[in-house]
Amino acid sequence: MQQQDEEQYIQRFVRFQSLDVHPTQRALVVNYDVDPNMLAQLGDFMMKESRQSQKLVRLKGTFDTDEIRTLAQIIVDTCPLVPPTKQTEVEQLLYYLQTRKGAGDEENAEDVDGDIDTSEADNFSISDEETASVTSVDSYIELLYEEIPEKVKASALVLQLARQTGNLNVLRKNEILLGALARVLREDGRKSIELSINIVHIFCCFSVFTQFHPVIAQHKVGSLCIDVVDNELKRYEQWTEEMAKKKSIVDSGKTNAAITNEYEKSFQKYVSLVKKQNQLLRVCFLLLLHIAEDKKVEYKMVNRGIISLLC
């Protein structure tokens, strides 16, 4: 019996870390740590290295806005990894999933433990060559003062961090980073659509949570998004007009193979640009929708002509 009293038992201690949305699926990602501990009845407590894990909560089918609160309650009740205090955050993430386009429904609605493969193509520009780290934010800020390719890379890395909701509070406190991102969007956004997508998406991650709306207001990101939308719509009209002229020349029959090939290349480039532009417009309008929870902000949008941009 004494030997049994001195035996040590493995106990798994689970510690919740953060919630996020899956980049491509209609699912919530629960990030948590598992601490394997040797717990002796004699009081010895020896910690081993904790292991980071994820749980994927897939959502099958569609749901209406008035069902979000009920669905969030069900998730909190059925998934012990999510603390009851996080129900409001679950509701906000569900609202984000509902308004986000391009996330296909999954036939298998079971929860899946373990590592989640997020290497699938996303609707936004993400760097696949390097994994972002909060400890490297200063180096990302330095890249934001370099040329456009470096700025695109830096913004993509920061976006990786922003998509993990547990990092948002850390990023919020970095005024230099947020100020640099807003400045780059204002000054260089027209030079690179990928750069604009990344930066607007970063602030869109903040916009999901009401407590971060002052950050967006401080850096006037809402106003910048309206400027981006207005500029992109004008560019679309210009592109479409140019393509119509080229098409009329090809349709006239007074062309040769070289002109036809040039038109086909231009058309493929046009389709690619429009696809990226749609991604940018979607994330801009999503951010504006989130911050429009404040009626004063909504009135400012109306005064800026948001209605004419939607028509």
Side-chain angles (χ1 to χ4, degrees):
M1 291 294 295
Q2 183 177 0
Q3 183 177 0
Q4 290 181 350
D5 290 340
E6 294 177 354
E7 286 182 354
Q8 295 177 324
Y9 302 91
I10 295 291
Q11 292 192 355
R12 287 160 56 90
F13 292 83
V14 178
R15 183 171 61 254
F16 171 84
Q17 290 296 329
S18 63
L19 282 168
D20 198 4
V21 294
H22 193 278
T24 59
Q25 300 180 21
R26 289 175 59 84
L28 299 180
V29 180
V30 184
N31 300 293
Y32 63 98
D33 287 343
V34 179
D35 294 332
N37 302 286
M38 296 297 291
L39 181 61
Q41 288 188 349
L42 296 178
D44 294 330
F45 197 72
M46 295 175 290
M47 296 290 294
K48 288 187 177 181
E49 185 178 359
S50 62
R51 176 172 60 88
Q52 294 182 347
S53 299
Q54 291 181 325
K55 188 178 187 69
L56 185 63
V57 182
R58 293 192 179 96
L59 305 173
K60 189 174 182 179
T62 59
F63 51 89
D64 297 327
T65 302
D66 55 359
E67 297 175 327
I68 288 179
R69 178 166 297 181
T70 302
L71 182 56
Q73 182 65 57
I74 294 174
I75 292 174
V76 171
D77 291 342
T78 57
C79 184
L81 294 173
V82 182
T85 56
K86 297 297 180 180
Q87 181 173 339
T88 301
E89 184 175 345
V90 173
E91 292 176 14
Q92 292 171 328
L93 293 177
L94 290 175
Y95 181 77
Y96 175 81
L97 281 175
Q98 183 197 43
T99 56
R100 184 182 72 178
K101 295 182 179 180
D105 295 338
E106 296 295 321
E107 294 181 359
N108 182 6
E110 296 179 356
D111 294 343
V112 179
D113 284 316
D115 296 333
I116 298 174
D117 181 11
T118 57
S119 60
E120 303 172 53
D122 192 14
N123 287 332
F124 304 97
S125 300
I126 303 295
S127 173
D128 294 326
E129 300 177 356
E130 182 178 348
T131 301
S133 172
V134 175
T135 59
S136 301
V137 168
D138 288 344
S139 64
Y140 305 155
I141 295 175
E142 293 178 1
L143 290 176
L144 290 173
Y145 290 90
E146 300 295 334
E147 300 301 322
I148 295 298
E150 287 77 19
K151 291 177 180 178
V152 172
K153 177 182 178 181
S155 61
L157 290 168
V158 175
L159 177 55
Q160 283 189 30
L161 297 176
R163 290 172 62 179
Q164 296 291 328
T165 56
N167 295 327
L168 289 178
N169 198 43
V170 176
L171 297 177
R172 176 188 65 85
K173 297 177 182 178
N174 196 322
E175 291 291 336
I176 297 177
L177 171 65
L178 298 179
L181 288 170
R183 176 189 59 80
V184 170
L185 178 61
R186 181 174 57 254
E187 297 178 358
D188 300 317
R190 297 186 181 186
K191 300 177 183 178
S192 169
I193 195 166
E194 290 87 356
L195 181 62
S196 295
I197 291 173
N198 288 342
I199 296 178
V200 175
H201 194 188
I202 290 169
F203 284 106
C204 189
C205 292
F206 283 100
S207 73
V208 174
F209 305 97
T210 305
Q211 60 265 38
F212 293 135
H213 286 187
V215 174
I216 297 173
Q218 177 183 350
H219 297 282
K220 300 181 179 180
V221 179
S223 178
L224 287 175
C225 283
I226 293 179
D227 291 337
V228 169
V229 171
D230 184 42
N231 179 66
E232 291 303 323
L233 292 178
K234 291 178 180 177
R235 291 174 68 180
Y236 174 76
E237 292 179 359
Q238 180 182 353
W239 295 341
T240 303
E241 183 178 347
E242 291 176 356
M243 287 306 305
K245 291 180 180 179
K246 293 181 179 180
K247 187 175 186 301
S248 63
I249 295 175
V250 173
D251 292 343
S252 67
K254 300 178 181 180
T255 60
N256 52 37
I259 295 178
T260 302
N261 290 336
E262 181 65 25
Y263 168 76
E264 292 177 352
K265 291 180 181 179
S266 298
F267 182 75
Q268 291 176 358
K269 182 179 179 180
Y270 167 77
V271 171
S272 177
L273 287 172
V274 170
K275 183 178 180 181
K276 291 180 179 179
Q277 189 181 63
N278 286 338
Q279 296 171 6
L280 176 57
L281 292 175
R282 183 166 65 245
V283 75
C284 281
F285 282 125
L286 185 58
L287 182 149
L288 293 171
L289 177 64
H290 288 160
I291 64 175
E293 294 176 357
D294 186 334
K295 292 299 181 182
K296 293 181 180 179
V297 175
E298 184 179 5
Y299 292 149
K300 289 181 179 179
M301 292 183 190
V302 173
N303 292 334
R304 283 291 309 274
I306 187 69
I307 296 177
S308 62
L309 297 178
L310 292 169
C311 297

